[in-house]
Amino acid sequence: MTALLEFDRLNVTFKGERTVYAINDLSLKLEQGEMLVLLGESGSGKSVTLKTLLRLLPPARTQISGGIKVNGTDIMTLSGRSLQDYRGGDVSMVFQEPALALDPVYRIGDQISEAVRRKKRVSREEARNVALDMLRRVRIPSPERRMMNFPHELSGGMRQRVMIALALACRPRLLLADEPTTALDATVQIQILLLLRELQKEFGMGVIFVTHDIGVAVEISDRIAVMYAGQIIEEGSTHEVINDAHHPYTRGLLAANLHDVERGERLEAIPGVPPSLEEKPKACSFAPRCPNAMPECRDKLPPVIEIGARRRVACFLAQQAVAAE
Amino acid sequence: MFAYVIRRLLLVLPVAFGVSIICFLLVHIAPGDPLTAIMAVDATAEEQAAMRAAYGLDRPLPVQFLFWLGNLFQGDLGNSIATGRPVAGEVWRAVQNSLLLAVTASLIAFPIGLLLGFLAGYFRDSWLDKLVTSIAIAGVSVPNYWLGMVLVIIFAVKLAWLPAMGAGPAGSDGWTFDWLHIRHLILPAITLAVVPIGIVARTVRALVGDIFHMDFVMALYAKGMSNFDVLIHVIRNAAATALSVIGLQMGALLGGSILIETVFNWPGSGMLLSNAIFQRDLPLLQGTILVLAMFFVTANLVVDILQAAIDPRIKRS
Ligand SMILES: Nc1ncnc2c1ncn2[C@@H]1O[C@H](COP(=O)(O)OP(=O)(O)O)[C@@H](O)[C@H]1O
Ligand code: SF4
Ligand SMILES: [Mg+2]
């Protein structure tokens, strides 16, 4: 079976008054139906990764290189109609702030059904029924009435449910969720997480769930990829990453957060700040903050070491450990 | 929605009442005695008192106000001191002329302003945007009576394509829709349109530019909408605000422009106002201001109701 998603040495650079090397040699593979968490501090490039995947970045100012395949198709070749069908059809997205991501002057029902009509080329009536069915599936009470509501008439949690209904209306193979619960209250947050988990099972779709909250990551994911400065520095199953972290950054995160698994804790406990991305990294980006940094860490890019099946770490320490065996 | 309209209409009543009180008091606050303008300089005290009684000016203010208001409801705004003719008729004729000019200027200004503003907002920071922004700034900052004079010099004096003044041939002020009359409309309407073009273009540019940078636009693309679909969404988001700007400009145009009507000798409410001021014709001034103020109140009302009708975020209940 072809992989659901394959990033092959993805690089994303923003040109403008200042250049930003947002994504640097990012490789990642996702199988059908997997739930992967992209974990990283603010500014590490999580949103850019997702937007690249939906081709949402402004083409004039963005330079993208590397391969991106979804179900075996190189999505950089899509354009016009095929791009529109891909967006929301094969891959769709739930945004962080549902209050901002929904059109304030359109009714909920219309916002869902217009997407369906575009994709499936069905009648107005059929699209409406799909929308209604989706509102039921995300467990919105009295969905017929809600269809007629405007976004500002709903609570934050309800709006995010609408956003999820909208994203899933065309049954995508891959759902991207960009910190979908960050803007919500703690109790609502848990409900939305549970809902996403259920819907993922029900629809059998793959999910990339972006968060900076390690508690959320543990709760929801099959696999975790840890991002730092536009790279994935450690990747593995949730169990492996949590119980046997190799990268000093991952360990730092865990030490700071996991001992008392508090949901909502931010990843700010590691001293120092992430690097500015104005230059392409030539050495380990984490070196200035790394308790284990060695001279070579500041000289060269650390190698990506396969320490197991689908288990990778980008660090000189891991290289030494493998060499020692 | 119906309830909103009713409530909004009820809200207009106190405003209208306030406006009429102010207009009424205008005569009494204004310095000088309105009678001096029409009395002979050497009139005796008896003659003055007689005249005062004839105009009802010897009664207490509230009584005068009630009489005035009563007359108002019968369409009687009193008589012009200067001409002795009923103010209502004078104002009505002038308002019609101003209306004609305002509607024509609107038909020029709003489509152009909306289109320019939209293009500039859509192609933000492009050369087109810079061009439109320059036009808008020029439109707002060039004094339009000066522009009117320049246009007269070019098109009326030098080229002799269009007449320089008046609302029709030989100073006629009855309007008919024929080329002889329409020719007179062109220069003043264009001159009057320049400011609203600038204001509408500038506002819509900022509005559309901001909306295009809102998150929901990216979300629309993310769900596979085409550029055209997104455009429709953006326009619908911009509609309510654009409408209110247009409404306010419309209100301003309806009031007539004293300067432009004077430059073009256009027999509208602006010119009537300036005549009333210079001749100290207080009943005429009072009537004109009252009618113009009511125009503003009505324009605001219409804009509010339309806005509520098209923007769901505005509370209707
Ligand atoms: N459109 C853009 N133009 C320029 N820089 C951008 C753009 N989008 C994101 N960036 C930069 O890319 C980096 C990664 O951003 P982002 O992916 O949003 O981080 P996060 O992990 O918090 O989602 C940041 O330094 C951000 O400033
Ligand atoms: S490569 Fe060096 S600096 Fe970077 S994380 Fe590993 S040990 Fe630390
Ligand atoms: Mg982000």
Side-chain angles (χ1 to χ4, degrees), chain A residues 129-315:
Chain A
N129 289 336
V130 172
L132 197 57
D133 175 56
M134 283 316 300
L135 289 185
R136 280 201 194 96
R137 283 170 185 268
V138 297
R139 306 197 213 337
I140 285 182
S142 44
E144 284 91 353
R145 250 195 22 236
R146 290 300 175 208
M147 292 277 284
M148 301 302 291
N149 279 143
F150 292 97
H152 71 273
E153 295 168 335
L154 304 183
S155 69
M158 282 302 147
R159 277 197 288 258
Q160 197 55 294
R161 282 171 198 263
V162 169
M163 197 71 227
I164 293 170
L166 174 55
L168 299 185
C170 299
R171 301 300 145 91
R173 300 307 309 145
L174 174 59
L175 177 71
L176 310 177
D178 193 351
E179 313 212 28
T181 60
T182 309
L184 305 175
D185 297 341
T187 47
V188 182
Q189 226 180 66
I190 297 166
Q191 292 167 4
I192 297 288
L193 287 181
L194 292 175
L195 176 70
L196 271 176
R197 200 53 164 141
E198 272 174 55
L199 291 171
Q200 183 239 346
K201 296 255 158 61
E202 193 179 327
F203 292 0
M205 64 194 168
V207 176
I208 300 183
F209 188 104
V210 159
T211 180
H212 58 236
D213 185 331
I214 231 173
V216 168
V218 172
E219 192 104 349
I220 199 170
S221 61
D222 302 323
R223 303 178 55 74
I224 294 182
V226 185
M227 278 194 84
Y228 191 80
Q231 289 161 309
I232 289 177
I233 49 99
E234 178 155 11
E235 184 203 342
S237 72
T238 304
H239 181 80
E240 290 164 335
V241 172
I242 297 301
N243 294 303
D244 184 26
H246 278 58
H247 197 284
Y249 177 64
T250 318
R251 285 195 209 138
L253 289 185
L254 289 167
N257 289 278
L258 214 54
H259 290 304
D260 42 351
V261 185
E262 273 281 330
R263 215 189 317 273
E265 286 269 324
R266 310 253 154 165
L267 308 182
E268 282 157 354
I270 304 171
V273 289
S276 91
L277 299 168
E278 293 181 15
E279 279 171 56
K280 198 156 183 63
K282 292 190 206 64
C284 177
S285 302
F286 188 58
R289 298 166 79 183
C290 179
N292 312 88
M294 299 165 287
E296 54 187 331
C297 302
R298 299 195 173 82
D299 266 12
K300 290 184 290 196
L301 282 173
V304 179
I305 308 296
E306 303 263 351
I307 57 172
R310 304 188 67 199
R311 175 102 177 85
R312 294 176 302 152
V313 183
C315 174

Side-chain angles (χ1 to χ4, degrees), chain A residues 98-117:
Chain A
L100 303 178
L102 292 167
D103 186 328
V105 306
Y106 277 63
R107 293 177 197 280
I108 299 299
D110 294 341
Q111 301 201 35
I112 302 176
S113 51
E114 76 174 344
V116 176
R117 255 153 59 84

Side-chain angles (χ1 to χ4, degrees), chain B residues 184-250:
Chain B
H184 283 78
L185 195 53
I186 296 177
L187 287 184
I190 289 177
T191 312
L192 200 56
V194 168
V195 170
I197 286 179
I199 292 177
V200 171
R202 226 166 38 168
T203 318
V204 170
R205 169 194 180 267
L207 188 64
V208 167
D210 287 351
I211 293 174
F212 262 106
H213 282 94
M214 283 163 67
D215 287 14
F216 80 82
V217 170
M218 183 174 279
L220 284 174
Y221 281 116
K223 73 180 183 189
M225 306 311 279
S226 68
N227 283 330
F228 181 75
D229 298 329
V230 173
L231 211 66
I232 301 294
H233 275 259
V234 170
I235 289 173
R236 278 189 58 175
N237 271 269
T241 312
L243 187 81
S244 71
V245 177
I246 287 182
L248 290 177
Q249 289 307 306
M250 187 79 190

Side-chain angles (χ1 to χ4, degrees), chain B residues 14-143:
Chain B
V15 175
F17 189 67
V19 167
S20 56
I21 289 184
I22 292 171
C23 283
F24 171 74
L25 287 179
L26 204 67
V27 176
H28 301 272
I29 297 166
D33 190 327
L35 288 180
T36 47
I38 43 168
M39 299 288 294
V41 228
D42 56 353
T44 64
E46 287 79 49
E47 282 170 326
Q48 283 197 18
M51 187 61 100
R52 206 172 289 278
Y55 277 90
L57 293 173
D58 54 345
R59 279 174 284 192
L61 270 190
V63 176
Q64 286 190 41
F65 176 64
L66 285 182
F67 269 99
W68 181 75
L69 205 61
N71 288 338
L72 202 63
F73 275 112
Q74 295 162 27
D76 180 4
L77 293 170
N79 292 329
S80 159
I81 290 177
T83 64
R85 277 185 295 187
V87 168
E90 304 265 316
V91 173
W92 177 234
R93 229 186 345 270
V95 161
Q96 276 180 312
N97 284 331
S98 282
L99 214 62
L100 182 70
L101 194 55
V103 169
T104 313
S106 303
L107 290 178
I108 300 171
F110 299 143
I112 295 180
L114 286 173
L115 185 71
L116 288 182
F118 187 84
L119 289 175
Y122 190 69
F123 298 106
R124 222 185 190 155
D125 298 326
S126 67
W127 63 266
L128 189 67
D129 178 20
K130 288 179 185 120
L131 182 72
V132 169
T133 307
S134 318
I135 293 176
I137 291 175
V140 177
S141 38
V142 168

